[in-house]
Each structure stands twice: as C-alpha cells, then as structure tokens.
Amino acid sequence: MNYPGKIKKEYNKYTSYANRGMDLEELINQSNEYYLESDIAVIYKKPTPITISEVKYGTKERIITKAYFRTPSTLDYNGIYRGRYIDFDAKETLNKTSFPLQNIHEHQLLHIKRVIAHGGIAFLIIYMNGTFYYLDGNNIINFIDNNKRKSIPFEYIETNGYIIEQKIKPRLDYLKIIDKLYFKED
Amino acid sequence: MNYPGKIKKEYNKYTSYANRGMDLEELINQSNEYYLESDIAVIYKKPTPITISEVKYGTKERIITKAYFRTPSTLDYNGIYRGRYIDFDAKETLNKTSFPLQNIHEHQLLHIKRVIAHGGIAFLIIYMNGTFYYLDGNNIINFIDNNKRKSIPFEYIETNGYIIEQKIKPRLDYLKIIDKLYFKED
C-alpha cells in the first residue's frame, strides 16, 4: 500500500540514494516541479485517496478528524508530456533478485492496460539494487501475461528497463527515456 | 473551495437536475464509470487534496485522526480520451446572469493554460440556469485575457459553450462535445 507513513519508514532505511535523506516520492516531486517550471511537462502526484468520515469546524478552517486510507485504483502520477498522456507509479524494493508483484494492485495493472490501449504512456519507476529503472507498461503487461511468477526477476528489469539518470535538475530525468522510446530520440 | 461537505450542502438546494438527488460530482463520476466500463475513455476524479497531520494505528487499519484540506492547484478530473490528455473541473452557480470567476483559483487558470500549451484538452463543465454547459479552456483563457470582469456573463457561456446532453448512460455525455470540437465529428 502506498501510505505516506509506511513509505517514510521504509525509505529511512536506505542509505544508498545519491540524494541521501530524500525519499523516492520527493525525488519525483522535485523532478516534476522542474519539468513544470521549465515548461517541459505538466505532471502531478495525485493526492492520497482517502474516505473522509468526520469533519469538524475549527476557528479558521475545517479539520478532518476521522478518515480512512483507500486502496488506489490508478497510479500515483499522471499528466501530459509532448502531447502524450503519461501515467506512472514509483516503487522500490529491498529485494535484490526480484521485484514482488504484490507491489502493484490488480486494478493498477488493469489501469496500465487501459491507459496503453487508449494511446497513453504507462510505466513504473523502480528503485532496486541502488539504481532507478524505467520499466515500460508494455513490458510489465507482457511479463505478467507470459509468466505465472509472483515477482519480476531483476534480470528482466535490467534487460527490458532503462536506467534513469540522476542529475541536479531534474533529480530523476525519466522523461529522457520517454523521448527515446516514444519519440525516437537519443 | 471544492470541499465535499460544502458542495453537498449547496447541491441539496437544487431541485432542477434531471436526476434529482444526484449531485454534480456524482453525475460526472457515473459518466466516467460508464466511459471506463465501455472502454471509451479512462478518466478519474482526483482525490481531495489533504495534508495528513496525525495517524493512529487501529486494530485492522491505520486511521487518519487529523488532516487539513489543501487548495487544489490542478483541476478535479483528468485522464485520456482517444489518445488525448483530458483535464477538467465541474462548477456550478446559482447566479443566473454570470459565472463568478472566484470559482476558479488562479493556479487552476495557470494549469488550464499549461495543459493547452502542452497539447491537452482543458475545459469546465458548468451547471447554470438548469443546464450543463461545456466551456472550453481556450474560451476561458480568452475571456480572462480580454476582460477585467470578475465573472463570465451567461451570454458568453451560452454563445461559446456547448450544452451537454443528459442521458441514462452516460448521465452527462460531455465527451460528445470533445468529438465535435477536437475530432470534427457531428
């Protein structure tokens, strides 16, 4: 589950990020801010899906006093780049040999299929073995359709994925991979 | 502000919807569900943006016990239709002569401009005088760039907007307007 609290806890274990102390979500948010400010792309993280159960009226504003986390049915980030619809999620694993598919909900897989079918670009950013990988939605669907395994072997990600360059700006230049894959640029 | 509680309260005043008792958000969500299930488009409402301040661990799940509403910087709905990036919001007013621009935040206007500049389709669904109108982002930007008025006159919406047909499925067939405007279909 993609719950902020839980994520933070896991991230704090890591020391191998090039940008120490910054978690994966923060790296992507900063990259998206850079893309936005530089007029390169318009990509946002969706808010955490919650069900609000109780709201109180404070002196200045309304305060949510009871709410529950919902399972997301889409991916966390979406937007537009070079006229194309972009939809992706960021995942990480401490597992060195394979990426557990339990990290992706079944309706998220369906969502990836739908986005691709309608002409969009869907992918995952996977942090694994100290490297950030771009794994295209087509590869994910292809793997799942042809395997009964509950995890994607690291070799599959290394072979079919693309290493995302880490820079100062943007922190993770994942759109460069999309240029290469979808716009035939080097 | 687009707060669920506040919206509900305003919606309950209305009796003129063809679908009595169903609020604007619900009409659009049902339309989007129909589009999704019929494999026509992949469009979702973004969750309400909140800042989570306190979380407790219940017996089965984590419960948010304190959170604040955030001002949204994008529009409420986005997705993909016929390969195009779609981004919109739904607004309503009881005002009969003009649509108050305070209904749209300044960064939402900037967002509309950016989406259009990057090749996406941005628009508003406006419920006013008992009718649902599609008003394209280009018209909104054009009006604001050429007027100092703090509201859009109803005549402008009637002249430049398009009436959205109400049906059983989908409840509000707003994609039909996009077919006409962006795909040159009748």
Side-chain angles (χ1 to χ4, degrees), chain B residues 35 40-41 43 81 86 123 164 172-180:
Chain B
Y35 288 142
I40 293 168
I43 298 162
Y81 175 55
I86 301 287
F123 60 94
I164 300 169
L172 294 177
D173 200 3
Y174 63 88
L175 290 181
K176 210 174 173 181
I177 315 290
I178 291 174
D179 286 337
K180 198 191 281 188

Side-chain angles (χ1 to χ4, degrees), chain A residues 3 39 62 64 67 78 83 118, chain B residues 3 39 62 64 67 78 83 118:
Chain A
Y3 301 160
D39 204 27
R62 298 186 318 137
I64 299 159
N78 76 354
H118 285 271
Chain B
Y3 301 159
D39 204 26
R62 299 186 317 137
I64 298 159
N78 76 354
H118 286 271

Side-chain angles (χ1 to χ4, degrees), chain A residues 32-155:
Chain A
N32 290 343
E33 270 172 42
Y34 169 80
Y35 289 140
L36 188 70
E37 284 161 14
S38 311
D39 204 27
I40 293 168
V42 184
I43 297 161
Y44 282 92
K45 184 182 184 296
K46 292 189 180 180
T48 306
I50 57 159
T51 302
I52 298 169
S53 165
E54 273 177 26
V55 175
K56 278 186 186 160
Y57 289 79
T59 45
K60 280 188 180 173
E61 54 182 340
R62 298 186 318 137
I63 301 163
I64 299 159
T65 50
K66 200 174 196 178
Y68 300 91
F69 291 102
R70 280 207 318 268
T71 304
S73 45
T74 63
L75 306 184
D76 273 358
Y77 303 84
N78 76 354
I80 184 165
Y81 175 55
R82 299 179 73 171
R84 295 291 294 270
Y85 176 80
I86 301 287
D87 204 313
F88 70 99
D89 219 328
K91 304 281 185 187
E92 53 190 308
T93 180
L94 294 170
N95 196 315
K96 289 179 191 307
T97 54
S98 66
F99 176 78
L101 282 169
Q102 67 194 21
N103 277 313
I104 319 168
H105 301 290
E106 207 159 323
H107 31 261
Q108 288 182 319
L109 286 174
L110 178 60
H111 181 70
I112 290 173
K113 279 189 189 180
R114 281 173 171 156
V115 165
I116 295 169
H118 285 271
I121 298 169
F123 60 95
L124 288 183
I125 292 176
I126 297 174
Y127 181 69
M128 193 173 175
N129 289 325
T131 305
F132 296 94
Y133 292 93
Y134 171 106
L135 188 60
D136 198 77
N138 287 301
N139 291 118
I140 296 160
I141 299 304
N142 195 37
F143 179 87
I144 287 160
D145 286 350
N146 294 293
N147 287 276
K148 299 226 173 215
R149 293 190 56 167
K150 290 214 166 89
S151 62
I152 305 178
F154 183 57
E155 305 92 74

